[in-house]
Amino acid sequence: MLHGTEGPVTAAGLASWLRGFAVERVEDLVADHAPGWRLPATFGGHRVEPDVAADLAYTLGHLHAGGVEAIAGTPLTDAVRTVLSRIDGTRTHTFFSYRVAETLLRWGPTFDGNPLLDGLTDAEVEQVRIACDSSEWLPLLDESILPLNYAGVLARCESARLRLGLPVDEAVVDDLVERARTVLSSNPGHYLDDSNHHVGRFDIYSADVWLFTQPFADRLGELWDEGMATALALVERVMADDGSAVTWGRSTGPLAGALTIELGALAVARRLGDDASTWLGRAALASSGMPGWFDGGVVNAHQHRDADGYRGPFRRLQLTLDLLGKLAWAANELDRADPALTAAVDGEVLAPRDELIPFDSDRPASVWTHRGPTGGLVVPFVGASRSDYLAAPRAPGRFEVPVDSDLAAWLPVLWHGDRRAVPSGVPASVEHRPGGVRATWGTFTFGAEMDPPAEPYTSPGSATVDYSVSGRTVNARWTVTAERAPDAVSLVVPERPDQPLRVTVHGEAGTHVHVDEVDVSGIAEWRSHWSSFSTVHEVEVEPEPVGDGSIRAEVSLTVTPQLRVASTAFGHHYDRSLYGPLTGLVREVACPWGPLGDATVDAGAVDLLHLHWPEWLAFDDLPTHLSIVEEVKGRRIPVVWTAHNLTPHEKRPDAFDPIYELWATSSDAIIHHSHGGMERFRSRYPSADGALHAVIPHGHFGDLWADHPGTDRDDAERALGLTPCDLRIGIVGAPRREKLVVEFLRGVAASSRDDIQVACWSLADTDEVPHDPRIVVAEPYEMTDSAAYAQRLAVCDLLAMPFDPEGEMLATGTVFDAVGLGMPVLRSDWSFLVEVLGDAGIDVGHTADSVAAALDALDPEAVRSARRAAVVRRDELAWDLISARTLALFEDVLAGR
């Protein structure tokens, strides 16, 4: 769900949200750093360049076109005029030249007489005129110094100047448009290889180039239509789960999210691409992540993460306004759409995919895109040898790589001295198969360059990788041969602090591996566009010598993101027992929602909410429960509810039935501790029929009590002042309406046995206990510490559980204390006890008469038989089994099964 909205997202609603978000951020920027619309000369220790003023004017121009009349108390016309009056035209160029020129065009058809220039001095007007002019960059394009996409940039600059009536040679404009046409039509599929050496550097600009040539699309004609169709199809197929359009190479991070928003708005407004509702859903998904990229009025893409070197901290303000301008433009585009158009739901937007997308017809440059029920990823096979172009899995928030460096993640690195060689660039071959891809390189390349030479310095050998996906696990099998043995071979997998990874590595065919975990938190080079890494899983590979100084290595790698579960019972002994066996597979955290929630937990780093007792989440406050449900739903976090109770013990159906009904409706799966309990729950809350229901027994608590200090029976009896006896029956746990303690004690008093004792620590304050010397303890229930509780259990031979079979309880935890200690239970006919205990339970009913009769008939062999059955049942209720079944259910929920 989009932040700050309720219900389905519409085109009008998204336009309003984008525009409002941009206005708020500009207001923050002006209030904090640019009072009176005067941009600072320096920011964060860096010089503020004229591109910031150009982007500010451009953003304000889009907002003005969208109907915003004033920001921070200033009419937008006055604000833009103030910004332009201070522009340094001689240092404003390319992208920023056309932004100044196009801003002028929003207020008037020509430069001369333009209302934005009213009141400016002649010198200021001249600086604005110069700012529009980037013709001096044309020779750099001729000399192949600029990236190829600059043909489109300069064509846009000169086109805007021509429209303003400034002195421009139309032949130059025509020539630039034709140059752009030549570049854009050079690839049959209309993908842009943005390298000057034709190395196959296909990246975000393969889509973005069509967006920024849109102002002269009429001049490009069918080529632009076909190219935009290619751009839309590419983003549709490779978009990440967070809405990022392209996640490899340069200019990703927040710009990738903004590109999805722009393309979505354009597709919806002009009826391009596939279903408009789906494109609106993609734009809404990407928009939901935008607030996370800002702190106040400034982008935070450089804080605890990294942008490209050419977009470093010296361009924080420029990137800020670049993004806001894109959002404002997208809002204006959406104004042209059907305002009532409703965005598709995430299940439709994030549809399953598994395909190899070829970028070129004469070489295997491509990208593998895969999205299963548990998420998507891409692996690029393109030119360039920088870290962010290498053939490693990309899935923001899960699998990320360092930015703009020679660090190679997920790939084997061959070390020759301190020089690194990796399999990079377009592979010799790429083959797709269902759920996987294989790529082969014929050499290892030294260096890490964005535009490497056509014939880089290499080391002879070959590398083959087989990538495959199984659920949330990525498998990679590397086979490496090198004709010249390197000094070392290594491989690293980086890990975000909020997404632990389970990494296993095996060497095969004579290859040996050593795996280490290295703390890299706070180290600048270990940052991605989205995060700062905390750990690298580092693999040292000992290859097999194969003669003539060459080596061969085979390494299999499996990487599984640990499932991040927020539990509403975090720290409870049930919770500790359940999640203990899942260490390394599940990262459990406290619940971040509700009045008792842990505000230090990042809700954005939660994969699944494990709900236990709803009343622990927000008491009886239905509106708060509703808001939590909406937030969890908006974050696309599934809910698994372990239904310990049918209703809270305080029995207030008027208050709690609507809350339980809400969570029954909102849960993706519900765990029940018995089949009988499941039937009762579903009967009480029929709205839960849409959930996946599973019966997973409660594990036993024997490990908590068996070895507790002070649990020797003789010592415990002396400590409690009890005399030895043949058979002592204990009643423990809190009193409940359904727990017929006094009725059981009356049955004891009515029995004829003289070889038993009953120790009851479970009375309510108002209970009246029959006087009987066999009832050796009759105490009101009080919470006690674990040592005292273990001591009480140690003196008992059986526990009595005389629960009303028709009551509202679904389970009781005390039965799992008994099973855990191999202790039989005197039980009623409550279906939960019958099902859970099996032969470890001895039926005594729940009335005084049935209890008396059962006690009189109870023989030692029946007790021994029940004790043997309890030991067997203990093994069946071991937590490792319960935990494994619970994790399997979590995986099913995440997979949509």
Side-chain angles (χ1 to χ4, degrees):
M1 180 178 295
L2 196 61
H3 294 257
T5 66
E6 295 183 2
V9 175
T10 63
L14 181 56
S16 176
W17 185 90
L18 289 168
R19 188 172 291 121
F21 180 79
V23 167
E24 290 173 2
R25 300 291 75 74
V26 172
E27 286 178 337
D28 290 340
L29 177 64
V30 171
D32 295 341
H33 305 294
W37 299 93
R38 180 189 179 281
L39 288 166
T42 62
F43 188 80
H46 296 279
R47 187 79 168 93
V48 174
E49 298 294 337
D51 50 10
V52 177
D55 268 327
L56 178 55
Y58 189 64
T59 299
L60 296 178
H62 286 310
L63 292 173
H64 183 265
V68 178
E69 296 181 357
I71 293 181
T74 305
L76 281 199
T77 299
D78 293 343
V80 176
R81 185 180 292 121
T82 298
V83 173
L84 291 179
S85 71
R86 296 170 178 153
I87 204 156
D88 182 348
T90 57
R91 295 195 301 131
T92 302
H93 50 73
T94 61
F95 289 92
F96 312 102
S97 289
Y98 78 65
R99 289 172 186 175
V100 172
E102 291 178 7
T103 300
L104 290 166
L105 286 167
R106 294 191 178 281
W107 267 265
T110 61
F111 188 90
D112 292 336
N114 194 291
L116 282 180
L117 303 178
D118 289 349
L120 271 62
T121 67
D122 290 345
E124 290 168 344
V125 170
E126 183 59 21
Q127 285 299 307
V128 175
R129 186 192 308 274
I130 294 170
C132 297
D133 187 356
S134 282
S135 57
E136 73 276 12
W137 285 65
L138 294 174
L140 301 179
L141 188 64
D142 296 334
E143 298 165 14
S144 297
I145 294 175
L146 297 175
L148 295 182
N149 68 69
Y150 269 73
V153 176
L154 293 174
R156 186 164 172 177
C157 292
E158 293 302 285
S159 295
R161 286 210 305 143
L162 182 64
R163 290 162 58 200
L164 280 170
L166 292 169
V168 175
D169 186 344
E170 289 193 44
V172 172
V173 178
D174 293 341
D175 178 64
L176 285 169
V177 171
E178 288 309 306
R179 290 195 200 197
R181 181 189 302 278
T182 299
V183 170
L184 297 175
S185 62
S186 61
N187 180 291
H190 303 306
Y191 295 106
L192 175 67
D193 177 356
D194 205 21
S195 67
N196 286 320
H197 297 120
H198 194 54
V199 298
R201 193 179 72 214
F202 298 96
D203 56 20
I204 196 169
Y205 288 101
S206 287
D208 193 41
V209 68
W210 300 102
L211 195 61
F212 67 68
T213 55
Q214 180 265 330
F216 58 93
D218 57 331
R219 287 175 172 262
L220 295 172
E222 288 185 7
L223 174 62
W224 189 87
D225 295 335
E226 294 168 358
M228 179 51 69
T230 293
L232 293 172
L234 175 63
V235 172
E236 173 190 344
R237 295 150 85 188
V238 304
M239 186 189 75
D241 294 346
D242 68 347
S244 297
V246 174
T247 53
W248 71 91
R250 59 191 172 134
S251 298
T252 57
L255 289 167
L259 178 59
T260 300
I261 297 168
E262 292 176 286
L263 289 174
L266 188 71
V268 169
R270 309 193 184 202
R271 298 178 178 85
L272 306 174
D274 62 0
D275 180 66
S277 176
T278 308
W279 266 110
L280 184 61
R282 292 186 185 104
L285 174 62
S287 298
S288 68
M290 275 297 144
W293 288 105
F294 285 83
D295 288 328
V298 180
V299 74
N300 59 26
H302 304 86
Q303 297 172 269
H304 310 295
R305 40 194 172 193
D306 198 1
D308 301 273
Y310 69 98
R311 293 185 186 276
F314 56 92
R315 293 185 71 184
R316 284 175 69 192
L317 291 183
Q318 187 279 319
L319 180 56
T320 296
L321 291 161
D322 189 4
L323 290 168
L324 297 178
K326 292 174 183 295
L327 303 189
W329 178 88
N332 294 349
E333 285 293 312
L334 286 170
D335 285 342
R336 301 153 57 121
D338 175 3
L341 177 69
T342 301
V345 297
D346 289 341
E348 298 172 19
V349 170
L350 300 174
R353 293 197 178 278
D354 180 26
E355 60 182 314
L356 186 70
I357 303 171
F359 289 130
D360 213 338
S361 58
D362 59 359
R363 53 185 169 172
S366 53
V367 59
W368 177 47
T369 178
H370 182 280
R371 181 182 294 116
T374 58
L377 60 81
V378 299
V379 180
F381 301 101
V382 298
S385 51
R386 286 195 332 185
S387 56
D388 28 17
Y389 282 90
L390 298 178
R394 311 293 205 286
R398 183 172 288 183
F399 305 128
E400 300 171 7
V401 302
V403 174
D404 196 19
S405 77
D406 61 355
L407 293 171
W410 289 78
L411 279 74
V413 177
L414 276 59
W415 293 85
H416 294 274
D418 60 357
R419 300 193 64 196
R420 317 177 202 206
V422 299
S424 68
V426 176
S429 66
V430 182
E431 301 172 13
H432 175 251
R433 64 184 184 280
V437 66
R438 167 179 285 194
T440 299
W441 291 262
T443 59
F444 298 90
T445 304
F446 289 95
E449 302 181 68
M450 188 170 74
D451 200 358
E455 297 183 3
Y457 181 49
T458 62
S459 178
S462 67
T464 298
V465 64
D466 284 281
Y467 279 118
S468 63
V469 173
S470 176
R472 291 180 299 111
T473 296
V474 174
N475 307 292
R477 180 187 176 93
W478 282 97
T479 302
V480 172
T481 63
E483 296 179 16
R484 181 163 60 96
D487 299 312
V489 180
S490 65
L491 186 151
V492 299
V493 176
E495 173 184 299
R496 290 170 54 121
D498 59 354
Q499 178 55 91
L501 302 175
R502 182 181 178 90
V503 178
T504 60
V505 188
H506 300 284
E508 301 177 23
T511 302
H512 300 281
V513 296
H514 171 71
V515 183
D516 196 5
E517 291 186 10
V518 181
D519 182 356
V520 295
S521 54
I523 297 177
E525 66 178 352
W526 284 106
R527 291 175 184 168
S528 78
H529 281 290
W530 289 270
S531 70
S532 179
F533 298 116
S534 58
T535 303
V536 294
H537 300 264
E538 189 148 26
V539 184
E540 291 187 14
V541 180
E542 296 180 19
E544 178 186 17
V546 291
D548 300 327
S550 60
I551 57 96
R552 175 182 172 86
E554 291 187 26
V555 178
S556 292
L557 180 75
T558 64
V559 181
T560 305
Q562 290 184 30
L563 188 60
R564 300 169 298 181
V565 177
S567 172
T568 63
F570 185 75
H572 187 274
H573 58 273
Y574 171 88
D575 202 71
R576 293 195 306 271
S577 299
L578 176 65
Y579 284 101
L582 299 177
T583 300
L585 297 171
V586 174
R587 183 194 190 200
E588 189 209 8
V589 297
C591 177
W593 300 288
L596 300 179
D598 187 341
T600 65
V601 174
D602 178 10
V606 172
D607 297 316
L608 183 144
L609 172 62
H610 191 182
L611 176 69
H612 294 271
W613 297 268
E615 59 271 25
W616 289 14
L617 189 60
F619 308 111
D620 59 356
D621 186 348
L622 180 59
T624 299
H625 282 276
L626 281 166
S627 68
I628 295 170
V629 165
E630 287 303 311
E631 180 174 351
V632 169
K633 185 187 301 181
R635 292 181 178 275
R636 309 189 303 281
I637 298 172
V639 177
V640 176
W641 179 8
T642 294
H644 301 279
N645 287 3
L646 192 65
T647 188
H649 292 302
E650 50 184 313
K651 310 296 185 189
R652 292 171 51 206
D654 56 325
F656 286 108
D657 273 16
I659 291 170
Y660 272 50
E661 190 80 46
L662 170 67
W663 284 106
T665 305
S666 306
S667 294
D668 297 88
I670 301 176
I671 295 173
H672 308 276
H673 291 318
S674 69
H675 289 86
M678 178 174 67
E679 292 173 5
R680 298 199 63 186
F681 185 95
R682 298 185 74 169
S683 176
R684 176 78 165 256
Y685 303 110
S687 63
D689 286 348
L692 173 64
H693 292 266
V695 175
I696 301 178
H698 191 303
H700 73 75
F701 287 138
D703 293 342
L704 295 179
W705 319 119
D707 299 320
H708 206 289
T711 54
D712 176 81
R713 184 182 178 104
D714 293 340
D715 292 343
E717 284 180 335
R718 283 191 291 271
L720 293 171
L722 301 175
T723 59
C725 68
D726 292 338
L727 199 67
R728 185 175 296 118
I729 302 167
I731 307 178
V732 296
R736 304 295 183 204
R737 183 180 299 180
E738 294 87 350
K739 192 174 181 181
L740 307 178
V741 174
V742 173
E743 193 72 11
F744 183 87
L745 295 178
R746 288 174 182 161
V748 171
S751 75
S752 60
R753 297 190 71 125
D754 60 4
D755 60 343
I756 63 171
Q757 291 180 5
V758 176
C760 176
W761 294 278
S762 190
L763 294 171
D765 291 336
T766 58
D767 284 345
E768 296 183 7
V769 179
H771 180 72
D772 189 295
R774 293 168 294 180
I775 303 174
V776 293
V777 177
E779 297 180 2
Y781 173 79
E782 290 184 359
M783 285 288 290
T784 188
D785 60 32
S786 59
Y789 185 65
Q791 189 177 65
R792 293 172 181 178
L793 293 174
V795 301
C796 298
D797 299 293
L798 306 94
L799 290 185
M801 299 187 185
F803 285 87
D804 182 356
E806 304 304 319
E808 289 190 311
M809 288 180 62
L810 294 180
T812 175
T814 53
V815 72
F816 302 105
D817 298 330
V819 171
L821 294 172
M823 188 185 302
V825 173
L826 304 178
R827 60 157 179 80
S828 68
D829 293 327
W830 180 22
S831 63
F832 166 76
L833 293 175
V834 174
E835 182 176 334
V836 169
L837 287 167
D839 292 339
I842 299 171
D843 184 11
V844 299
H846 62 284
T847 66
D849 290 344
S850 66
V851 169
L855 289 176
D856 287 344
L858 185 63
D859 62 74
E861 180 53 34
V863 175
R864 287 193 292 271
S865 177
R867 183 172 291 114
R868 288 193 294 269
V871 172
V872 172
R873 192 65 178 133
R874 178 175 61 196
D875 293 338
E876 295 170 343
L877 296 182
W879 279 107
D880 56 348
L881 302 177
I882 306 304
S883 301
R885 292 179 61 181
T886 303
L887 178 58
L889 177 66
F890 289 169
E891 296 284 10
D892 283 345
V893 168
L894 289 165
R897 291 189 286 266

